[in-house]
Amino acid sequence: MYQNPPVLILGIETSCDETGVALYDAAAGILLGHVVHSQVAMHEAYGGVVPELASRDHIRRLVPLARGLFERAGRAPGDLGAVAYTEGPGLAGALLVGAAFAHALAAALGVPAIGIHHLEGHLLSPLLSARPPEFPFVALLVSGGHTQLMRVDGVGRYELLGETQDDAAGEAFDKTATLLGLGYPGGPALSQLAERGQAGRHNLPRPMIASGDLEFSFSGLKTAVLTLVRRAEATEQFRADVARAFQDAIVEVLVAKCMLAMERTNLTRLVVAGGVGANKQLRAALNARTASAGTEVYYPELELCTDNGAMIALAAALRMQAGLAAGGGHAFTVRPRWDLAAPR
Ligand code: KG4
Ligand code: ZN
């Protein structure tokens, strides 16, 4: 266990289709720089992420991205005190690229390599913003692979309050976008289309909104959209109206469950993290509801909403400060499936 944070941490993120690299000065608490290469254009032709291509592209990108980052920050690998990487969950091959790079570099430098849970990175990422939240808080993690509500009492102290029973929120956005003829990933495109849509033209279900618990279900929404799309001629206005109806439904459910989670836990701070947290309508609705309830909502900087290396470096720094970073040796593995609330 490493009790004190080293001065400089390199953060590596390769769990899916973004290669992220960041330099975090843990002593000063400053992000010196970060860079993300998105593989979206490469996977677009296939309508989703192709794991083998993702791994190969991470291999191609990591060294040049890291070199450029060191140069711009005026630092050298020899200045590093630790190398942090995403250990899971994610695509096994893609994770292995980041883990192998991190361990090789750390072994060469004689510093620890720290494996980080991807979702821990996301939920701590608002701590890098200009207005960081204090513990404890409720965290809504909404990404392409996860939709979870967590109670966060401190670094490494996470309790799962509820999660999706089927599709993740981002997955629902992406699948619905495909039904509306939009490219991959569909979240941002669908939300732009929804801005031109008229509210109330179509009424979609609000799955599990009255279930009384903190669970979610989004697969029915996409089926409801499919039924709508099959019935009508897909004019531009029709597609925009359906996008708006979908976004209204999903936002209403997410907001209702966040408010319920704060009520149940008696917590007054909400943190929203993960790609869907970039959604404007979700942010506007959460801002309004928390303001009227006298509670507060926090987001990561927009550029840190999607996958990045900065959140991985930060999580490693905080774990080291808390004495929670297991180090030792470079016989490593990755965890493609990994429950954040499970004990390490
Ligand atoms: O956290 P993230 O970058 O990757 C992981 O899944 O870990 O999240 C990506 C997801 C995708 O499903 C994408 O469509 C969605 O976040 N997303 C959005 C928006 N921006 C990204 N969904 C809705 N509105 C957005 N503005
Ligand atoms: Zn993510």
Side-chain angles (χ1 to χ4, degrees), residues 7 15 22 24 79 82 97 102 115 129 135 145 163 178 185 229 260 275 286 292:
V7 175
S15 68
Y24 182 70
D79 300 337
V97 174
S129 70
F135 297 114
E163 64 184 332
T178 304
V229 171
L260 184 62
L286 283 172
S292 61

Side-chain angles (χ1 to χ4, degrees), residues 20 26-27 38 58 73 78 113 115 151 224 236 242 245 247 271 307 344:
S38 169
H58 288 310
R151 180 193 168 104
E236 185 62 18
V242 173
Q247 193 163 266
V271 157
D307 293 348
R344 280 221 181 198

Side-chain angles (χ1 to χ4, degrees), residues 152-245:
V152 180
D153 284 295
V155 176
R157 295 166 62 201
Y158 314 120
E159 184 197 335
L160 182 66
L161 301 172
E163 64 184 332
T164 183
Q165 306 297 300
D166 40 60
D167 291 354
E171 197 178 352
F173 266 97
D174 294 340
K175 287 178 175 171
T176 302
T178 304
L179 292 176
L180 294 174
L182 302 168
Y184 176 87
L190 188 144
S191 108
Q192 270 170 22
L193 182 62
E195 278 177 23
R196 300 197 295 275
Q198 200 180 319
R201 280 287 186 88
H202 306 283
N203 200 13
L204 292 175
R206 270 58 175 160
M208 295 186 81
I209 200 161
S211 62
D213 57 24
L214 299 169
E215 310 294 318
F216 302 87
S217 166
F218 293 122
S219 67
L221 256 183
K222 131 205 105 195
T223 315
V225 169
L226 180 64
T227 312
L228 275 181
V229 171
R230 273 195 182 144
R231 267 197 211 136
E233 196 196 331
T235 62
E236 185 62 18
Q237 192 56 47
F238 170 80
R239 288 165 65 245
D241 292 343
V242 173
R244 178 61 192 264

Side-chain angles (χ1 to χ4, degrees), residues 18 118 122 143-145 170 173-174 185-188 191 274-276 278-279 305-307:
E18 259 110 29
H118 181 81
H122 272 306
S143 69
F173 266 97
D174 294 340
S191 108
V276 182
N279 187 273
C305 269
T306 45
D307 293 348

Side-chain angles (χ1 to χ4, degrees), residues 234-290:
T235 62
E236 185 62 18
Q237 192 56 47
F238 170 80
R239 288 165 65 245
D241 292 343
V242 173
R244 178 61 192 264
F246 168 80
Q247 193 163 266
D248 282 347
I250 202 159
V251 164
E252 197 177 315
V253 173
L254 288 172
V255 171
K257 298 279 173 164
C258 286
M259 300 313 289
L260 184 62
M262 285 197 282
E263 220 177 280
R264 293 268 163 93
T265 54
N266 255 326
L267 296 180
T268 56
R269 283 179 289 266
L270 173 70
V271 157
V272 182
V276 182
N279 187 273
K280 275 195 217 156
Q281 197 180 327
L282 176 64
R283 286 191 175 205
L286 283 172
N287 292 347
R289 284 291 292 279
T290 50

Side-chain angles (χ1 to χ4, degrees), residues 6-13 20-36 69-70 72-75 80 84 121 124-130 300-317:
V7 175
L8 196 63
I9 301 176
L10 181 69
I12 309 281
E13 157 61 38
V21 185
L23 271 175
Y24 182 70
D25 182 336
I30 293 172
L31 180 64
L32 298 181
H34 86 106
V35 56
V36 175
L69 181 67
F70 276 113
R72 282 191 301 278
R75 301 294 180 104
L80 291 176
L124 296 176
S125 63
L127 297 175
L128 283 168
S129 70
E301 302 292 339
L302 257 187
E303 61 174 315
L304 298 182
C305 269
T306 45
D307 293 348
N308 64 83
M311 66 185 194
I312 303 303
L314 172 77

